[in-house]
Amino acid sequence: MFPKYNVIVVGAGHAGCEAAVAAANMGSKVLLVTMNMNTIAQMSCNPAMGGVAKGQIVREIDALGGYSGIVTDYSMVQFRMLNMSKGPAMWSPRAQSDRMMFAAKWRDA
Amino acid sequence: MLEGHPNIDFWQETVPGMIVKNGVCTGIVTSLGLEILSDSVVLTNGTFLNGLIHIGEKNFGGGRAGEKSATGITEQLLSLGFESGRMKTGTPPRIDGRSLNYDKMEIQLGDALPGKFSYTDTPVIEKQLPCYITYTSEDVHESLREGFDRSPMFNGRIQGLGPRYCPSIEDKINRFADKDRHQLFVEPEGWNTCEIYVNGFSSSLPEDVQYKALRKVAGFENMKMFRPGYAIEYDYFPPTQLNMNLETKLIKNLFFAGQINGTTGYEEAACQGLMAGINAHLAILDRDPFILKRSEAYIGVLIDDLVNKGTNEPYRMFTSRAEYRILLRQDNADIRLTPIAHKLGMQGMDGRLERVNSKIENASRIERYFDDTSVDPVLINDFLDSVDSSPLRQKVKARSIVTRPNIDIKDMRRSLPYLESYLSQYDEETITIAEVSMKYDGYIRKEQEMVDKMDRLESVKLADHFDYKTLKSLSFEAREKLNQIRPRTIGQASRISGVSPSDISVLLVHVGR
């Protein structure tokens, strides 16, 4: 029923989704296994991405070819650059996202 | 995204275990008993492994509100020799935005000129939703305290350690008893829903206690609840059991990413997923693992901390965890990392690398312009006066103005028409890079020198299979830890807790330095 895959990813939260696209964009054949296709890329806690230090991480993910930044850009309802009164090492982007759009954008065909 | 990718297939089922033969992972077994084969497996189970949800005195198995937990994987990993632990996290109630009185709260608007996350050509948000800020009070705290005897946090039912920097409201009023109020952020869940996320009010108190207390918050007098907050306990695997590429030390071709490694946060999870996905691919081809240095990325800091220091409470990222903060900025992540991804062979990076290269080139052009262009006192003194910066007596180079405190390029452009017309050919991103580079030149150079010094230690490789027990001049703890973590370099060894500077000297002598 299944071909042999290069990479199987178990779980389709933020880690699982990024793992699947990263392996796939490197050229692997990937199977993403989830308990529930309807809850792929849930923001199960706060409807926001980024914040101090975390915003830097999202920018890094984007720079390496991950999708979290792109998905956030398409689903945000508010954007703030935190710590603008401090030096540039502390500038941190943060966005409120539409939780449902975020998940839908991740699944997008 | 996912469904648009020709290399990604989907399957919906619970996975109770992996296929492991002779210390190598070769696929998974599903709950229907299907065996699906693969070269490598990445586990990203989040809070689902033996997840247990607590609301007051009630608790039930679950991986998330309304979803069942997953069993089998922990048990199999333990039988393979892994060590596991329990962690706890929590989430606040979701409430009905139609029942709130926003007049009693402070409004929090988005930026007037909003930015975005991606370096690709994603859209910039045009219309934004506001958030609101309100506060708890003594009255609210009193209500919450009444439920403490029914709190799973305080009666010992929850054993897992929770995130220190994202504590529940009951934790906050207990630990910071002298504070008479705590800030709450009232955050919309989306464009087309009235659902509200009450940031700052994470709780596992009984639902009636949460409800009663919330109704005493300013603006929440008529609040209706959609679902109560809850705490969840789940299994994690101390990340010292991983190699730097997020592959487990015990089982080849098995990778872990996210909360299973003891982290908290979407961003922390997502970046580990990315790194595990890349490394799972590289491992198949026997290519070198992809490891980011602490001086290259927060992602490097995060994985280095996890693998070498471990964590017994949910790990979240802070700027204070990074020693090279001025290098690891949000504005230069593409300059730092896109060339690396391109070289690695990540798809779709050709155009992006070109963009990065032209950004670097343009930024240095701007810097040269500031070095070469003079500023006339007549044009700029009014502006300098308005920001309390001492006026010019004679012409100076533009760079010496931009490096003054309290002055930025944006303001200078307004006073100097020729500067405005020169800069108008560049985008904001590029101008920011040039400005930061000029303003923080000294700090950037100093940090870079520190990095170069550390790099010398990072380049001294340690043998893969050396038995540190035989090196008696090491402290006993160092021998144990080095055998456990198996650092790849002297630099990595120096960050292992329990490995002292004198142990590092011993190692340097041992490798012949």
Side-chain angles (χ1 to χ4, degrees):
Chain A
M1 200 170 145
F2 294 97
K4 184 184 172 190
Y5 288 94
N6 297 125
V7 179
I8 291 177
V9 177
V10 181
H14 302 271
C17 290
E18 286 291 4
V21 293
N25 280 332
M26 290 294 291
S28 269
K29 291 282 177 203
V30 177
L31 180 69
L32 181 57
V33 186
T34 168
M35 286 165 81
N36 185 350
M37 293 278 296
N38 296 317
T39 53
I40 286 177
Q42 285 297 297
M43 298 184 121
S44 34
C45 202
N46 60 329
M49 280 297 261
V52 179
K54 291 164 169 274
Q56 282 88 324
I57 291 180
V58 179
R59 295 283 266 169
E60 291 176 353
I61 291 170
D62 185 74
L64 288 166
Y67 290 176
S68 289
I70 294 172
V71 167
T72 307
D73 285 351
Y74 278 102
S75 60
M76 68 170 79
V77 302
Q78 188 192 81
F79 180 92
R80 291 197 306 137
M81 186 66 82
L82 308 181
N83 283 335
M84 280 307 279
S85 59
K86 299 181 181 164
M90 300 301 288
W91 299 347
S92 306
R94 183 183 189 276
Q96 292 291 137
S97 267
D98 181 309
R99 190 162 54 79
M100 284 160 269
M101 266 173 83
F102 184 91
K105 186 68 194 173
W106 252 116
R107 254 190 89 158
D108 215 1
Chain B
M1 303 285 112
L2 290 167
E3 289 183 28
H5 209 299
N7 283 355
I8 300 177
D9 289 350
F10 299 86
W11 183 250
Q12 173 175 304
E13 220 188 319
T14 305
V15 176
M18 289 74 65
I19 308 168
V20 176
K21 279 181 203 140
N22 305 321
V24 183
C25 184
T26 57
I28 58 165
V29 187
T30 72
S31 55
L32 286 173
L34 304 172
E35 295 203 344
I36 312 178
L37 300 181
S38 64
D39 298 312
S40 62
V41 171
V42 182
L43 292 186
T44 69
N45 304 84
T47 56
F48 281 74
L49 294 181
N50 294 312
L52 185 64
I53 291 176
H54 297 264
I55 304 175
E57 288 159 307
K58 290 159 228 163
N59 65 57
F60 47 92
R64 207 157 39 195
E67 293 176 66
K68 55 185 201 312
S69 61
T71 51
I73 288 180
T74 301
E75 293 70 15
Q76 185 189 13
L77 290 173
L78 290 179
S79 77
L80 288 166
F82 282 82
E83 200 186 302
S84 80
R86 288 291 262 180
M87 276 185 180
K88 175 224 111 174
T89 189
T91 195
R94 311 299 198 275
I95 62 173
D96 186 336
R98 298 170 302 178
S99 64
L100 301 181
N101 180 0
Y102 293 105
D103 294 338
K104 292 194 174 177
M105 309 178 201
E106 297 162 21
I107 192 165
Q108 189 180 44
L109 298 169
D111 287 353
L113 295 169
K116 62 193 188 83
F117 282 97
S118 181
Y119 293 98
T120 64
D121 55 0
T122 51
V124 175
I125 188 171
E126 285 174 16
K127 198 181 108 209
Q128 301 187 62
L129 284 178
C131 295
Y132 293 86
I133 295 171
T134 185
Y135 297 90
T136 61
S137 61
E138 270 305 341
D139 216 16
V140 176
H141 298 177
E142 202 35 58
S143 255
L144 289 167
R145 274 191 209 103
E146 277 167 25
F148 274 14
D149 58 330
R150 291 191 283 153
S151 156
M153 288 274 297
F154 298 139
N155 64 19
R157 203 170 292 133
I158 293 181
Q159 271 148 18
L161 262 173
R164 177 184 302 255
Y165 302 96
C166 191
S168 62
I169 188 70
E170 52 265 36
D171 236 4
K172 281 193 262 192
I173 57 178
N174 209 30
R175 265 167 44 194
F176 311 104
D178 53 321
K179 280 195 86 175
D180 52 12
R181 64 175 201 172
H182 293 281
Q183 207 170 31
L184 300 179
F185 295 92
V186 178
E187 302 177 343
E189 294 257 12
W191 295 109
N192 301 311
T193 174
C194 62
E195 193 170 339
I196 293 289
Y197 179 92
V198 191
N199 196 344
F201 204 86
S202 167
S203 180
S204 58
L205 287 165
E207 62 284 357
D208 58 306
V209 177
Q210 297 182 30
Y211 180 81
K212 234 175 99 186
L214 266 183
R215 279 210 154 195
K216 293 183 173 168
V217 171
F220 283 49
E221 293 78 5
N222 299 309
M223 183 274 306
K224 290 180 186 172
M225 196 183 266
F226 282 173
R227 50 190 169 115
Y230 62 87
I232 180 164
E233 279 187 289
Y234 54 94
D235 295 333
Y236 82 106
F237 290 83
T240 47
Q241 302 173 91
L242 301 172
N243 289 319
M244 292 292 284
N245 63 348
L246 299 180
E247 185 179 20
T248 66
K249 287 180 170 141
L250 280 172
I251 306 296
K252 201 170 144 41
N253 297 339
L254 178 65
F255 296 76
F256 290 174
Q259 280 166 306
I260 191 172
N261 290 335
T263 61
T264 176
Y266 303 156
E267 304 79 0
E268 288 82 349
C271 74
Q272 289 173 68
L274 171 88
M275 297 300 283
I278 293 173
N279 277 309
H281 172 87
L282 296 175
I284 299 166
L285 305 174
D286 269 326
R287 282 174 58 185
D288 281 344
F290 177 46
I291 298 163
L292 287 167
K293 291 191 252 175
R294 297 180 73 91
S295 56
E296 286 174 326
Y298 274 94
I299 301 172
V301 174
L302 182 136
I303 294 174
D304 189 76
D305 277 352
L306 288 179
V307 172
N308 295 312
K309 297 193 180 110
T311 186
N312 53 17
E313 58 180 72
Y315 178 104
R316 75 163 277 185
M317 185 46 75
F318 295 105
T319 49
S320 58
R321 296 198 194 268
E323 51 276 66
Y324 311 117
R325 282 191 285 284
I326 195 70
L327 302 180
L328 307 184
R329 305 187 315 270
Q330 65 84 30
D331 61 88
N332 68 357
D334 57 341
I335 295 177
R336 288 184 273 129
L337 301 173
T338 296
I340 298 177
H342 182 266
K343 200 169 151 206
L344 210 54
M346 179 69 77
Q347 222 174 72
M349 284 288 150
D350 287 349
R352 297 185 60 171
L353 182 68
E354 248 169 64
R355 251 200 93 204
V356 167
N357 287 337
S358 85
K359 185 168 158 185
I360 295 170
E361 201 171 298
N362 286 334
S364 54
R365 274 203 196 111
I366 296 172
E367 278 197 60
R368 280 202 301 278
Y369 178 86
F370 274 78
D371 285 334
D372 297 341
T373 307
S374 297
V375 177
D376 191 329
V378 177
L379 287 173
I380 196 125
N381 275 352
D382 281 349
F383 160 67
L384 291 177
D385 189 50
S386 73
V387 292
D388 287 331
S389 202
S390 52
L392 300 181
R393 300 225 179 98
Q394 61 205 38
K395 282 189 176 183
V396 297
K397 296 297 182 203
R399 188 185 180 106
S400 73
I401 308 275
V402 84
T403 52
R404 288 185 180 191
N406 302 327
I407 291 197
D408 53 44
I409 288 184
K410 218 189 298 152
D411 297 324
M412 286 177 73
R413 293 172 75 156
R414 277 193 220 117
S415 315
L416 303 171
Y418 56 88
L419 182 59
E420 173 61 39
S421 84
Y422 171 75
L423 288 176
S424 62
Q425 62 184 307
Y426 301 111
D427 58 20
E428 289 300 321
E429 243 181 73
T430 309
I431 297 169
T432 300
I433 289 284
E435 179 166 26
V436 170
S437 159
M438 287 188 281
K439 267 185 173 306
Y440 297 89
D441 181 45
Y443 296 97
I444 292 171
R445 257 193 270 178
K446 202 178 276 171
E447 265 189 15
Q448 192 56 54
E449 277 166 27
M450 279 166 57
V451 171
D452 296 341
K453 208 183 271 176
M454 267 314 286
D455 269 356
R456 288 198 280 276
L457 289 181
E458 297 294 339
S459 64
V460 184
K461 297 261 185 297
L462 290 167
D464 276 344
H465 300 294
F466 181 72
D467 184 3
Y468 292 94
K469 280 208 188 73
T470 62
L471 212 55
K472 299 290 183 206
S473 41
L474 288 170
S475 72
F476 184 75
E477 188 181 1
R479 274 178 263 164
E480 240 182 9
K481 289 276 175 66
L482 290 165
N483 266 347
Q484 186 203 341
I485 308 269
R486 309 219 64 87
R488 296 157 46 89
T489 66
I490 295 265
Q492 189 188 345
S494 72
R495 292 188 295 278
I496 298 171
S497 67
V499 176
S500 69
S502 67
D503 293 320
I504 293 301
S505 308
V506 172
L507 287 178
L508 281 168
V509 171
H510 168 69
V511 296
R513 295 274 174 139

